[in-house]
PDB file of all heavy atoms in Angstrom:
ATOM      1  N   ASP A1369       2.421   0.791  13.116  1.00  0.00           N
ATOM      2  CA  ASP A1369       3.594   1.634  13.305  1.00  0.00           C
ATOM      3  C   ASP A1369       4.531   1.662  12.041  1.00  0.00           C
ATOM      4  O   ASP A1369       4.175   0.963  11.090  1.00  0.00           O
ATOM      5  CB  ASP A1369       4.390   1.210  14.514  1.00  0.00           C
ATOM      6  CG  ASP A1369       4.993  -0.190  14.331  1.00  0.00           C
ATOM      7  OD1 ASP A1369       5.084  -0.739  13.167  1.00  0.00           O
ATOM      8  OD2 ASP A1369       5.242  -0.789  15.467  1.00  0.00           O
ATOM      9  N   GLY A1370       5.681   2.356  12.042  1.00  0.00           N
ATOM     10  CA  GLY A1370       6.482   2.490  10.846  1.00  0.00           C
ATOM     11  C   GLY A1370       6.989   1.064  10.359  1.00  0.00           C
ATOM     12  O   GLY A1370       7.024   0.884   9.250  1.00  0.00           O
ATOM     13  N   THR A1371       7.304   0.203  11.321  1.00  0.00           N
ATOM     14  CA  THR A1371       7.903  -1.045  11.013  1.00  0.00           C
ATOM     15  C   THR A1371       6.797  -1.951  10.274  1.00  0.00           C
ATOM     16  O   THR A1371       7.097  -2.542   9.327  1.00  0.00           O
ATOM     17  CB  THR A1371       8.415  -1.767  12.266  1.00  0.00           C
ATOM     18  OG1 THR A1371       9.331  -1.048  12.988  1.00  0.00           O
ATOM     19  CG2 THR A1371       8.923  -3.151  11.874  1.00  0.00           C
ATOM     20  N   GLU A1372       5.575  -1.875  10.800  1.00  0.00           N
ATOM     21  CA  GLU A1372       4.592  -2.603  10.152  1.00  0.00           C
ATOM     22  C   GLU A1372       4.242  -2.162   8.745  1.00  0.00           C
ATOM     23  O   GLU A1372       4.021  -2.883   7.857  1.00  0.00           O
ATOM     24  CB  GLU A1372       3.326  -2.687  11.029  1.00  0.00           C
ATOM     25  CG  GLU A1372       3.503  -3.438  12.383  1.00  0.00           C
ATOM     26  CD  GLU A1372       2.369  -3.220  13.323  1.00  0.00           C
ATOM     27  OE1 GLU A1372       1.724  -2.087  13.246  1.00  0.00           O
ATOM     28  OE2 GLU A1372       1.993  -4.115  14.056  1.00  0.00           O
ATOM     29  N   HIS A1373       4.284  -0.827   8.669  1.00  0.00           N
ATOM     30  CA  HIS A1373       4.005  -0.196   7.292  1.00  0.00           C
ATOM     31  C   HIS A1373       5.137  -0.614   6.323  1.00  0.00           C
ATOM     32  O   HIS A1373       4.788  -1.001   5.178  1.00  0.00           O
ATOM     33  CB  HIS A1373       3.886   1.219   7.412  1.00  0.00           C
ATOM     34  CG  HIS A1373       3.688   1.909   6.032  1.00  0.00           C
ATOM     35  ND1 HIS A1373       2.420   1.881   5.485  1.00  0.00           N
ATOM     36  CD2 HIS A1373       4.463   2.628   5.256  1.00  0.00           C
ATOM     37  CE1 HIS A1373       2.552   2.555   4.331  1.00  0.00           C
ATOM     38  NE2 HIS A1373       3.796   3.029   4.146  1.00  0.00           N
ATOM     39  N   SER A1374       6.247  -0.618   6.781  1.00  0.00           N
ATOM     40  CA  SER A1374       7.463  -0.891   5.883  1.00  0.00           C
ATOM     41  C   SER A1374       7.298  -2.340   5.472  1.00  0.00           C
ATOM     42  O   SER A1374       7.560  -2.797   4.378  1.00  0.00           O
ATOM     43  CB  SER A1374       8.788  -0.729   6.563  1.00  0.00           C
ATOM     44  OG  SER A1374       9.802  -1.142   5.840  1.00  0.00           O
ATOM     45  N   ALA A1375       6.864  -3.236   6.359  1.00  0.00           N
ATOM     46  CA  ALA A1375       6.684  -4.756   6.167  1.00  0.00           C
ATOM     47  C   ALA A1375       5.641  -4.891   5.050  1.00  0.00           C
ATOM     48  O   ALA A1375       5.754  -5.778   4.176  1.00  0.00           O
ATOM     49  CB  ALA A1375       6.513  -5.483   7.442  1.00  0.00           C
ATOM     50  N   ALA A1376       4.576  -4.181   5.284  1.00  0.00           N
ATOM     51  CA  ALA A1376       3.426  -4.300   4.290  1.00  0.00           C
ATOM     52  C   ALA A1376       3.836  -3.894   2.990  1.00  0.00           C
ATOM     53  O   ALA A1376       3.508  -4.471   1.946  1.00  0.00           O
ATOM     54  CB  ALA A1376       2.271  -3.558   4.803  1.00  0.00           C
ATOM     55  N   THR A1377       4.728  -2.802   2.944  1.00  0.00           N
ATOM     56  CA  THR A1377       5.094  -2.231   1.581  1.00  0.00           C
ATOM     57  C   THR A1377       5.987  -3.345   0.939  1.00  0.00           C
ATOM     58  O   THR A1377       5.825  -3.588  -0.287  1.00  0.00           O
ATOM     59  CB  THR A1377       5.936  -0.926   1.846  1.00  0.00           C
ATOM     60  OG1 THR A1377       4.977   0.075   2.291  1.00  0.00           O
ATOM     61  CG2 THR A1377       6.478  -0.485   0.493  1.00  0.00           C
ATOM     62  N   SER A1378       6.970  -3.886   1.697  1.00  0.00           N
ATOM     63  CA  SER A1378       7.777  -5.016   1.162  1.00  0.00           C
ATOM     64  C   SER A1378       6.949  -6.079   0.644  1.00  0.00           C
ATOM     65  O   SER A1378       7.295  -6.783  -0.368  1.00  0.00           O
ATOM     66  CB  SER A1378       8.818  -5.392   2.165  1.00  0.00           C
ATOM     67  OG  SER A1378       9.654  -4.340   2.478  1.00  0.00           O
ATOM     68  N   LEU A1379       5.849  -6.438   1.437  1.00  0.00           N
ATOM     69  CA  LEU A1379       5.074  -7.543   0.957  1.00  0.00           C
ATOM     70  C   LEU A1379       4.455  -7.282  -0.324  1.00  0.00           C
ATOM     71  O   LEU A1379       4.310  -8.193  -1.229  1.00  0.00           O
ATOM     72  CB  LEU A1379       4.052  -7.878   2.101  1.00  0.00           C
ATOM     73  CG  LEU A1379       3.092  -9.056   1.850  1.00  0.00           C
ATOM     74  CD1 LEU A1379       3.800 -10.322   1.813  1.00  0.00           C
ATOM     75  CD2 LEU A1379       2.019  -9.014   3.020  1.00  0.00           C
ATOM     76  N   ASP A1380       3.845  -6.079  -0.491  1.00  0.00           N
ATOM     77  CA  ASP A1380       3.365  -5.700  -1.769  1.00  0.00           C
ATOM     78  C   ASP A1380       4.264  -5.822  -2.841  1.00  0.00           C
ATOM     79  O   ASP A1380       4.047  -6.413  -3.944  1.00  0.00           O
ATOM     80  CB  ASP A1380       2.838  -4.191  -1.776  1.00  0.00           C
ATOM     81  CG  ASP A1380       1.521  -3.951  -1.196  1.00  0.00           C
ATOM     82  OD1 ASP A1380       0.834  -4.923  -0.911  1.00  0.00           O
ATOM     83  OD2 ASP A1380       1.222  -2.831  -0.802  1.00  0.00           O
ATOM     84  N   ALA A1381       5.454  -5.337  -2.639  1.00  0.00           N
ATOM     85  CA  ALA A1381       6.449  -5.478  -3.747  1.00  0.00           C
ATOM     86  C   ALA A1381       6.800  -6.849  -4.114  1.00  0.00           C
ATOM     87  O   ALA A1381       7.011  -7.204  -5.323  1.00  0.00           O
ATOM     88  CB  ALA A1381       7.778  -4.762  -3.300  1.00  0.00           C
ATOM     89  N   GLY A1382       7.012  -7.704  -3.024  1.00  0.00           N
ATOM     90  CA  GLY A1382       7.379  -9.091  -3.283  1.00  0.00           C
ATOM     91  C   GLY A1382       6.205  -9.924  -4.012  1.00  0.00           C
ATOM     92  O   GLY A1382       6.502 -10.711  -4.878  1.00  0.00           O
ATOM     93  N   LEU A1383       4.929  -9.619  -3.630  1.00  0.00           N
ATOM     94  CA  LEU A1383       3.825 -10.283  -4.299  1.00  0.00           C
ATOM     95  C   LEU A1383       3.740  -9.883  -5.802  1.00  0.00           C
ATOM     96  O   LEU A1383       3.567 -10.708  -6.566  1.00  0.00           O
ATOM     97  CB  LEU A1383       2.604  -9.955  -3.501  1.00  0.00           C
ATOM     98  CG  LEU A1383       1.306 -10.702  -3.937  1.00  0.00           C
ATOM     99  CD1 LEU A1383       1.576 -12.236  -3.741  1.00  0.00           C
ATOM    100  CD2 LEU A1383       0.114 -10.231  -3.051  1.00  0.00           C
ATOM    101  N   LEU A1384       3.904  -8.581  -5.930  1.00  0.00           N
ATOM    102  CA  LEU A1384       3.808  -8.183  -7.334  1.00  0.00           C
ATOM    103  C   LEU A1384       4.902  -8.793  -8.232  1.00  0.00           C
ATOM    104  O   LEU A1384       4.727  -9.157  -9.343  1.00  0.00           O
ATOM    105  CB  LEU A1384       4.048  -6.561  -7.462  1.00  0.00           C
ATOM    106  CG  LEU A1384       2.805  -5.764  -6.995  1.00  0.00           C
ATOM    107  CD1 LEU A1384       3.165  -4.250  -6.812  1.00  0.00           C
ATOM    108  CD2 LEU A1384       1.768  -5.808  -7.988  1.00  0.00           C
ATOM    109  N   ALA A1385       6.120  -8.821  -7.659  1.00  0.00           N
ATOM    110  CA  ALA A1385       7.309  -9.324  -8.422  1.00  0.00           C
ATOM    111  C   ALA A1385       7.037 -10.791  -8.662  1.00  0.00           C
ATOM    112  O   ALA A1385       7.326 -11.294  -9.796  1.00  0.00           O
ATOM    113  CB  ALA A1385       8.584  -9.286  -7.578  1.00  0.00           C
ATOM    114  N   ILE A1386       6.519 -11.577  -7.769  1.00  0.00           N
ATOM    115  CA  ILE A1386       6.403 -13.105  -7.897  1.00  0.00           C
ATOM    116  C   ILE A1386       5.302 -13.313  -8.979  1.00  0.00           C
ATOM    117  O   ILE A1386       5.439 -14.164  -9.946  1.00  0.00           O
ATOM    118  CB  ILE A1386       5.891 -13.697  -6.623  1.00  0.00           C
ATOM    119  CG1 ILE A1386       7.123 -13.710  -5.616  1.00  0.00           C
ATOM    120  CG2 ILE A1386       5.370 -15.162  -6.866  1.00  0.00           C
ATOM    121  CD1 ILE A1386       6.697 -14.193  -4.246  1.00  0.00           C
ATOM    122  N   ARG A1387       4.203 -12.619  -8.923  1.00  0.00           N
ATOM    123  CA  ARG A1387       3.138 -12.816  -9.939  1.00  0.00           C
ATOM    124  C   ARG A1387       3.529 -12.478 -11.220  1.00  0.00           C
ATOM    125  O   ARG A1387       3.222 -13.120 -12.269  1.00  0.00           O
ATOM    126  CB  ARG A1387       1.850 -12.064  -9.438  1.00  0.00           C
ATOM    127  CG  ARG A1387       1.292 -12.627  -8.194  1.00  0.00           C
ATOM    128  CD  ARG A1387       0.063 -11.742  -7.637  1.00  0.00           C
ATOM    129  NE  ARG A1387      -0.650 -12.428  -6.645  1.00  0.00           N
ATOM    130  CZ  ARG A1387      -1.656 -11.789  -5.904  1.00  0.00           C
ATOM    131  NH1 ARG A1387      -2.000 -10.635  -6.259  1.00  0.00           N
ATOM    132  NH2 ARG A1387      -2.183 -12.501  -4.878  1.00  0.00           N
ATOM    133  N   LEU A1388       4.135 -11.336 -11.444  1.00  0.00           N
ATOM    134  CA  LEU A1388       4.603 -10.902 -12.720  1.00  0.00           C
ATOM    135  C   LEU A1388       5.718 -11.698 -13.307  1.00  0.00           C
ATOM    136  O   LEU A1388       5.888 -12.034 -14.506  1.00  0.00           O
ATOM    137  CB  LEU A1388       5.060  -9.442 -12.739  1.00  0.00           C
ATOM    138  CG  LEU A1388       3.949  -8.449 -13.048  1.00  0.00           C
ATOM    139  CD1 LEU A1388       3.439  -8.427 -14.486  1.00  0.00           C
ATOM    140  CD2 LEU A1388       2.660  -8.560 -12.175  1.00  0.00           C
ATOM    141  N   ALA A1389       6.699 -12.201 -12.405  1.00  0.00           N
ATOM    142  CA  ALA A1389       7.763 -13.045 -12.923  1.00  0.00           C
ATOM    143  C   ALA A1389       7.162 -14.390 -13.336  1.00  0.00           C
ATOM    144  O   ALA A1389       7.704 -14.886 -14.452  1.00  0.00           O
ATOM    145  CB  ALA A1389       8.766 -13.242 -11.727  1.00  0.00           C
ATOM    146  N   ASP A1390       6.232 -14.909 -12.690  1.00  0.00           N
ATOM    147  CA  ASP A1390       5.634 -16.198 -13.074  1.00  0.00           C
ATOM    148  C   ASP A1390       5.101 -16.086 -14.450  1.00  0.00           C
ATOM    149  O   ASP A1390       5.238 -16.999 -15.281  1.00  0.00           O
ATOM    150  CB  ASP A1390       4.464 -16.619 -12.087  1.00  0.00           C
ATOM    151  CG  ASP A1390       5.087 -17.237 -10.808  1.00  0.00           C
ATOM    152  OD1 ASP A1390       6.242 -17.559 -10.804  1.00  0.00           O
ATOM    153  OD2 ASP A1390       4.313 -17.421  -9.840  1.00  0.00           O
ATOM    154  N   LEU A1391       4.262 -14.994 -14.730  1.00  0.00           N
ATOM    155  CA  LEU A1391       3.681 -14.796 -15.944  1.00  0.00           C
ATOM    156  C   LEU A1391       4.707 -14.562 -17.146  1.00  0.00           C
ATOM    157  O   LEU A1391       4.606 -15.128 -18.174  1.00  0.00           O
ATOM    158  CB  LEU A1391       2.734 -13.512 -15.906  1.00  0.00           C
ATOM    159  CG  LEU A1391       2.010 -13.152 -17.256  1.00  0.00           C
ATOM    160  CD1 LEU A1391       1.262 -14.286 -17.892  1.00  0.00           C
ATOM    161  CD2 LEU A1391       1.241 -11.903 -16.932  1.00  0.00           C
ATOM    162  N   ALA A1392       5.684 -13.749 -16.857  1.00  0.00           N
ATOM    163  CA  ALA A1392       6.718 -13.428 -17.851  1.00  0.00           C
ATOM    164  C   ALA A1392       7.503 -14.683 -18.186  1.00  0.00           C
ATOM    165  O   ALA A1392       7.781 -14.988 -19.369  1.00  0.00           O
ATOM    166  CB  ALA A1392       7.656 -12.360 -17.379  1.00  0.00           C
ATOM    167  N   TRP A1393       7.898 -15.415 -17.110  1.00  0.00           N
ATOM    168  CA  TRP A1393       8.727 -16.688 -17.365  1.00  0.00           C
ATOM    169  C   TRP A1393       7.980 -17.781 -18.164  1.00  0.00           C
ATOM    170  O   TRP A1393       8.456 -18.289 -19.025  1.00  0.00           O
ATOM    171  CB  TRP A1393       9.168 -17.184 -15.987  1.00  0.00           C
ATOM    172  CG  TRP A1393      10.074 -18.432 -16.211  1.00  0.00           C
ATOM    173  CD1 TRP A1393       9.734 -19.667 -15.879  1.00  0.00           C
ATOM    174  CD2 TRP A1393      11.376 -18.477 -16.751  1.00  0.00           C
ATOM    175  NE1 TRP A1393      10.796 -20.489 -16.152  1.00  0.00           N
ATOM    176  CE2 TRP A1393      11.835 -19.756 -16.700  1.00  0.00           C
ATOM    177  CE3 TRP A1393      12.309 -17.500 -17.245  1.00  0.00           C
ATOM    178  CZ2 TRP A1393      13.044 -20.197 -17.155  1.00  0.00           C
ATOM    179  CZ3 TRP A1393      13.554 -17.907 -17.614  1.00  0.00           C
ATOM    180  CH2 TRP A1393      13.908 -19.214 -17.601  1.00  0.00           C
TER     181      TRP A1393
END
Side-chain angles (χ1 to χ4, degrees):
D1369 63 22
T1371 302
E1372 290 171 330
H1373 178 73
S1374 177
T1377 296
S1378 294
L1379 182 61
D1380 276 350
L1383 189 58
L1384 286 167
I1386 290 169
R1387 289 177 175 175
L1388 269 292
D1390 281 349
L1391 176 60
W1393 180 251

